[in-house]
Amino acid sequence: MREIKAKKAEVHTCSPYGAFERLTDSECFAGDGWECWMTEGLCMSHEARVTACHSDSVQPYELEAMTRTMDSQRLLICTEHPMIVAVAEETENIPQTEKVEAFVLEPGEIFLIRPGIWYDICRGTEKPVDYYILGKTGEDPDSFTLLDNGAVKVTWDK
């Protein structure tokens, strides 16, 4: 079984799959006891709906299948705890085991996945995670497709 270590998400490491942004790198606006950060301009190119997700699964885990959307983006929003997202480059019909990479997103970080990129549900680095996905209104992801050459073990070191 192939084993990969999740890497810290950065603009350059995520760029083959989409756009990464750390909201707290943006200018903050604040009031008495509160602070807010936001993206510059639109973060998606289409109308979106919000999906609230929960995953009890934490690393290490075995990734056996992935999903994708062909005509729209998916925006992953990390909220309270660090999470791992596995991705693989666009292929015609089946995600390739040898092409899977995994990234750790910290709270306040977002990852906009391009159409056609394979991805998995997010998993916690150390504890279960709640997160949000923004996706095109009226479109559901394809069903999950098994990797072409068996599962990938995903781990993470602090």
Side-chain angles (χ1 to χ4, degrees):
M1 177 183 307
R2 180 168 180 245
E3 184 172 325
I4 62 171
K5 291 190 184 297
K7 303 178 258 188
K8 181 174 176 47
E10 297 289 349
V11 171
H12 67 281
T13 57
C14 293
S15 65
Y17 310 103
F20 167 80
E21 186 171 338
R22 185 173 294 112
L23 292 176
T24 54
D25 286 350
S26 303
E27 187 173 331
C28 171
F29 64 99
D32 186 18
W34 59 271
E35 297 174 308
C36 291
W37 296 266
M38 64 180 65
T39 60
E40 293 292 326
L42 294 174
C43 57
M44 296 184 76
S45 61
H46 48 73
E47 291 183 5
R49 66 177 177 193
V50 177
T51 304
C53 303
H54 174 81
S55 176
D56 283 328
S57 179
V58 297
Q59 66 82 39
Y61 65 94
E62 291 183 14
L63 171 63
E64 297 177 344
M66 302 179 93
T67 188
R68 65 181 174 175
T69 55
M70 292 303 295
D71 299 320
S72 66
Q73 303 162 312
R74 286 284 190 256
L75 179 66
L76 305 179
I77 304 169
C78 183
T79 57
E80 189 176 356
H81 302 293
M83 64 186 197
I84 297 171
V85 58
V87 294
E89 60 189 45
E90 184 176 357
T91 57
E92 192 168 321
N93 294 314
I94 299 173
Q96 296 178 356
T97 301
E98 293 304 315
K99 299 292 185 175
V100 174
E101 289 193 77
F103 301 104
V104 175
L105 275 67
E106 299 284 342
E109 295 179 345
I110 60 175
F111 186 15
L112 182 62
I113 298 174
R114 287 193 337 256
I117 296 296
W118 294 98
Y119 66 96
D120 186 32
I121 62 165
C122 296
R123 322 285 179 118
T125 56
E126 298 178 293
K127 55 178 72 174
V129 291
D130 294 298
Y131 62 100
Y132 295 99
I133 298 176
L134 272 64
K136 187 174 183 178
T137 304
E139 179 183 63
D140 292 323
D142 292 343
S143 59
F144 278 76
T145 303
L146 292 173
L147 296 173
D148 72 340
N149 199 21
V152 173
K153 183 176 183 180
V154 180
T155 61
W156 172 73
D157 292 328
K158 283 185 183 183

